[in-house]
Amino acid sequence: MPRINLLPWREQERKVRRREFMVAAGGAVFAAAIFVLGGKLVYSSWTDSQNEKNTLLKKEIVKLDAQIADIQDLENRKQRLVARMEIIEKLQRKRPEIVHLFDEIVKTVPEGIYLTEIKQTGNKLEIHGVAQSSTRVSTFMRNIDSSVWMDNPQLQVVEAAKDSATGGSNFTLTSDVVGVDLENGGETTVKKVVAK
């Protein structure tokens, strides 16, 4: 005789399936929670690592900025020292020029003239003196014009000497200092060609 199962088997099967679904859903939720927590931990560790790198980079940037400031300070000092050295070198080169200039003045002053004052401002000479006659002054100017160290004489003032018993004239003239180019390693190159 056939057996008839009168128990509610469908209801039991539904309960079993529902239990299996709940276990699977719980497992899925648990796996998702583990995955999210793991991702958060990994992301947090990456963030912490990057923050440490950023902090290290900021410290190194501060050190490099200090070194750059030191280098710029040294560069400024170097430029000031180079400028001073150039000035000293220029003065050293010009030192013999005054000797040559005085020697040339002595050669250009004719008889009958004596000088009372010589003033140099840059490349301009202002010469004050007393001459026995105006022809002596013109001779002096021609001598200056033919000089290697002086050029372009211009007579400013000629007046009769009031305080001189011998007569004569007080004069003032200006001249350009031409000189010799001593900057080419000590070579003497005359800047003015004298026609004789």
Side-chain angles (χ1 to χ4, degrees):
M1 163 164 169
R3 291 180 74 185
I4 298 173
N5 187 2
L6 296 176
L7 293 174
W9 62 272
R10 287 189 178 123
E11 190 64 37
Q12 285 180 348
E13 199 171 311
R14 269 191 215 128
K15 283 182 182 177
V16 168
R17 282 187 188 156
R18 201 176 286 149
R19 194 177 306 135
E20 286 175 356
F21 175 74
M22 294 299 254
V23 168
V29 167
F30 182 74
I34 294 292
F35 182 74
V36 167
L37 284 175
K40 188 173 181 181
L41 286 173
V42 168
Y43 182 74
S44 176
S45 70
W46 286 350
T47 305
D48 291 342
S49 173
Q50 190 61 43
N51 285 339
E52 287 176 9
K53 289 178 183 176
N54 289 348
T55 305
L56 179 66
L57 285 174
K58 285 178 183 175
K59 288 179 183 176
E60 292 299 320
I61 286 171
V62 168
K63 285 181 188 175
L64 288 176
D65 285 344
Q67 289 176 351
I68 288 171
D70 289 343
I71 288 171
Q72 287 176 342
D73 184 43
L74 288 173
E75 194 68 34
N76 290 339
R77 283 186 194 175
K78 177 186 169 191
Q79 288 175 353
R80 287 194 303 264
L81 286 173
V82 166
R84 285 181 188 170
M85 286 172 54
E86 286 174 357
I87 290 171
I88 290 170
E89 191 175 314
K90 192 184 243 184
L91 289 173
Q92 288 283 42
R93 282 194 305 264
K94 286 190 173 193
R95 194 165 61 173
E97 284 184 15
I98 193 70
V99 176
H100 291 293
L101 184 62
F102 275 122
D103 186 47
E104 196 68 23
I105 289 172
V106 169
K107 290 177 186 175
T108 56
V109 174
E111 270 189 47
I113 286 184
Y114 68 92
L115 304 178
T116 57
E117 182 182 346
I118 300 174
K119 180 180 177 185
Q120 182 178 3
T121 308
N123 285 340
K124 276 284 192 202
L125 272 182
E126 186 176 322
I127 302 171
H128 299 271
V130 178
Q132 288 178 351
S133 67
S134 58
T135 56
R136 307 263 185 195
V137 175
S138 61
T139 303
F140 184 36
M141 291 177 67
R142 278 194 299 275
N143 290 347
I144 288 174
D145 201 31
S146 65
S147 168
V148 174
W149 287 89
M150 294 179 289
D151 189 19
N152 194 21
Q154 294 179 352
L155 190 60
Q156 302 296 319
V157 176
V158 175
E159 58 187 13
K162 298 173 186 170
D163 54 351
S164 175
T166 59
S169 306
N170 291 331
F171 68 90
T172 302
L173 63 87
T174 61
S175 171
D176 295 333
V177 177
V178 180
V180 174
D181 184 14
L182 297 175
E183 295 183 11
N184 297 331
E187 295 178 17
T188 56
T189 306
V190 178
K191 286 186 179 174
K192 176 185 168 197
V193 178
V194 180
K196 292 190 178 182

